[in-house]
């Protein structure tokens, strides 16, 4: 058998292997009310200043920034919570308020946090996903929580929504929530979560 044929066969087997391992993701939100379309609200008049303490978990993204040599590369990880802080600020602006940093620890506080599924469970389901060539699903859960607290008024409102995904070939037959992509589902869930908390 010519060496070229063997080499091409290896490439084909490798490609098929990656295809089997890739599977397909199915993303669902625990309450579909949280993925309704987010339409910007027209802001009329001057915004009233609102002293606020705000906290939000960071988004982290990695990227390859350059190649140092054969088989080597630099990976950069950037983390920021500006997107989630902007969600809080824009949600308050829709209600006529412009948040400013509070000097008082007793001032109202809004937090937006994300908690992921236990890593051991995700690694375990990931192992079986690979072992069964994508038949058994890999599970990934994220819990988004928005909280509004005002110690001076004795008010505390907290809401949580779960966004979970499965990764397997069976997911090909399961439509995503509302026909949206995973990133769209998460973005809408966070925005509507803050809105619902502030509405209450």
């Amino acid at each position: 058998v010519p060496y070229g044929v063997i080499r091409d066969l290896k490439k084909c087997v490798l490609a098929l292997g990656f295809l089997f391992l890739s599977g397909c993701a199915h993303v669902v939100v625990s309450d579909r009310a949280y993925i309704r379309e987010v339409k910007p609200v027209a802001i009329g008049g001057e915004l009233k200043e609102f002293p606020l303490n705000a906290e939000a978990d960071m988004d982290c993204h990695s990227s390859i920034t350059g190649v140092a040599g054969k088989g080597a590369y630099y990976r950069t990880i950037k983390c920021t919570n500006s997107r989630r802080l902007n969600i809080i600020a824009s949600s308050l602006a829709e209600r006529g308020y412009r948040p400013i940093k509070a000097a008082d620890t007793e001032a109202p506080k809004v937090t937006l946090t994300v908690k992921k599924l236990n890593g051991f469970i995700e690694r375990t389901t990931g192992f079986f996903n690979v072992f069964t060539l994508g038949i058994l699903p890999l599970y990934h859960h994220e819990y988004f929580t928005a909280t509004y607290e005002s110690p001076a008024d004795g008010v505390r409102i907290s809401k949580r929504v779960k966004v979970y995904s499965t990764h397997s070939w069976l997911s090909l037959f399961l439509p995503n929530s509302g026909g949206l992509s995973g990133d769209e589902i998460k973005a809408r869930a966070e925005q509507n979560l803050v809105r619902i908390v502030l509405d209450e």
Side-chain angles (χ1 to χ4, degrees):
V1 180
Y3 175 76
V5 174
I6 295 176
R7 185 183 57 194
D8 291 341
L9 183 60
K10 286 182 179 179
K11 287 181 180 179
C12 183
V13 170
L14 185 62
L16 287 174
F18 280 118
L19 179 65
F20 276 117
L21 295 177
S22 62
C24 181
H26 174 232
V27 183
V28 180
V29 64
S30 59
D31 186 341
R32 290 177 64 88
Y34 287 98
I35 58 168
R36 67 183 189 274
E37 186 176 359
V38 179
K39 295 181 179 179
V41 176
I43 302 170
E46 188 175 347
L47 298 179
K48 181 180 178 181
E49 288 189 348
F50 184 65
L52 179 75
N53 294 308
E55 292 181 5
D57 284 347
M58 293 190 176
D59 285 319
C60 292
H61 302 281
S62 63
S63 60
I64 297 174
T65 57
V67 177
K70 187 176 181 181
Y73 59 87
Y74 294 108
R75 182 177 295 276
T76 301
I77 299 177
K78 294 182 179 179
C79 297
T80 177
N81 62 356
S82 60
R83 184 185 65 82
R84 292 192 172 110
L85 290 175
N86 284 335
I87 289 174
I88 295 171
S90 61
S91 296
L92 284 166
E94 290 174 357
R95 288 154 182 79
Y97 296 100
R98 180 169 64 86
I100 60 173
K101 186 172 177 58
D104 184 5
T105 56
E106 292 296 304
K109 180 178 181 181
V110 177
T111 60
L112 181 55
T113 61
V114 184
K115 183 179 179 182
K116 296 186 178 181
L117 176 70
N118 181 286
F120 173 77
I121 297 175
E122 188 166 344
R123 286 191 298 271
T124 302
T125 59
F127 169 78
F128 285 108
N129 174 258
V130 172
F131 185 75
T132 61
L133 299 180
I135 295 175
L136 293 180
L138 178 153
Y139 290 98
H140 179 75
H141 295 185
E142 288 179 295
Y143 298 90
F144 296 88
T145 305
T147 304
Y148 174 86
E149 295 179 89
S150 179
D153 301 319
V155 174
R156 187 180 190 279
I157 302 167
S158 185
K159 297 286 184 182
R160 186 175 81 164
V161 62
K162 179 174 73 171
V163 176
Y164 55 97
S165 64
T166 58
H167 190 86
S168 74
W169 284 109
L170 298 179
S171 300
L172 280 169
F173 308 101
L174 303 172
N176 287 358
S177 292
L180 303 171
S181 71
D183 288 341
E184 288 174 320
I185 290 172
K186 292 177 184 179
R188 286 193 183 188
E190 288 183 300
Q191 290 174 315
N192 285 315
L193 188 63
V194 174
R195 286 178 166 189
I196 289 170
V197 166
L198 292 178
D199 283 343
E200 290 195 8

